[in-house]
Amino acid sequence: MENSLKIIMSERGKELAVVSSHKYRFIRKRKDEMLKWICYNKSCYASILTDVKKTQVIAVIGEHKHEAITPQNIDRQVLRENCKRKASDSISTRPSKIIRKELLTNVGTDIVHKDISSVRKAMYMARRKNPPQTHPT
């Protein structure tokens, strides 16, 4: 079993660990300085232990009760979160330019037109949450 660890951001801005096409959410830091992560699917009790630096998986505990996530879904989530963050940081940049730049940096992604539409919609929603400040005159 491949135990390569990759940290991505969730839609709510929390860290998720991706190991062997399964996503895990952070639970707590243990007394022995290991981090415990549990499966993002709330009906599944599989978990992993990582080191504090989040570089390697130390232990895999339990079995999953569901199918693994496809790499396309993980790539789509990474693209969406990166674009949302950049859209809220630079409000004057066009969404199409941000999406194009992210697609060029993420080589090898298998993204379809429907995914691009959902990314664009997520960017507009992120921008609407924090509008630019106006100065009273």
Side-chain angles (χ1 to χ4, degrees):
M1 172 167 43
E2 180 186 343
N3 286 339
S4 64
L5 177 67
K6 181 179 177 185
I7 302 293
I8 63 172
M9 297 301 285
S10 72
E11 293 182 15
R12 296 187 176 192
K14 306 287 184 182
E15 289 184 333
L16 292 176
V18 179
V19 178
S20 303
S21 296
H22 289 284
K23 290 192 287 191
Y24 297 88
R25 55 192 163 92
F26 177 72
I27 295 297
R28 67 184 174 97
K29 182 177 179 180
R30 296 179 6 160
K31 289 180 181 178
D32 59 357
E33 298 296 317
M34 285 196 265
L35 303 179
K36 182 167 184 172
W37 305 73
I38 196 164
C39 185
Y40 83 103
N41 188 338
K42 297 205 177 186
S43 64
C44 181
Y45 297 109
S47 62
I48 60 170
L49 297 176
T50 63
D51 60 341
V52 178
K53 296 178 184 177
K54 302 172 192 163
T55 56
Q56 66 180 0
V57 177
I58 296 171
V60 178
I61 305 163
E63 294 290 325
H64 289 276
K65 298 179 180 179
H66 55 88
E67 295 294 319
I69 304 165
T70 62
Q72 181 183 6
N73 285 351
I74 295 170
D75 291 341
R76 182 177 52 223
Q77 182 173 356
V78 169
L79 175 70
R80 182 186 302 125
E81 295 310 311
N82 288 344
C83 288
K84 276 173 46 177
R85 181 180 45 80
K86 288 182 180 179
S88 59
D89 288 347
S90 62
I91 198 127
S92 62
T93 309
R94 289 177 296 153
S96 59
K97 187 174 183 178
I98 295 172
I99 293 171
R100 230 178 307 129
K101 191 179 282 187
E102 279 298 314
L103 284 174
L104 288 175
T105 59
N106 295 335
V107 179
T109 58
D110 190 23
I111 305 294
V112 295
H113 180 14
K114 188 173 92 173
D115 298 336
I116 300 294
S117 299
S118 73
V119 168
R120 185 176 291 117
K121 184 177 179 183
M123 290 170 66
Y124 283 123
M125 296 294 282
R127 282 186 173 170
R128 288 184 75 189
K129 283 184 180 177
N130 48 355
Q133 300 295 323
T134 59
H135 299 291
T137 54

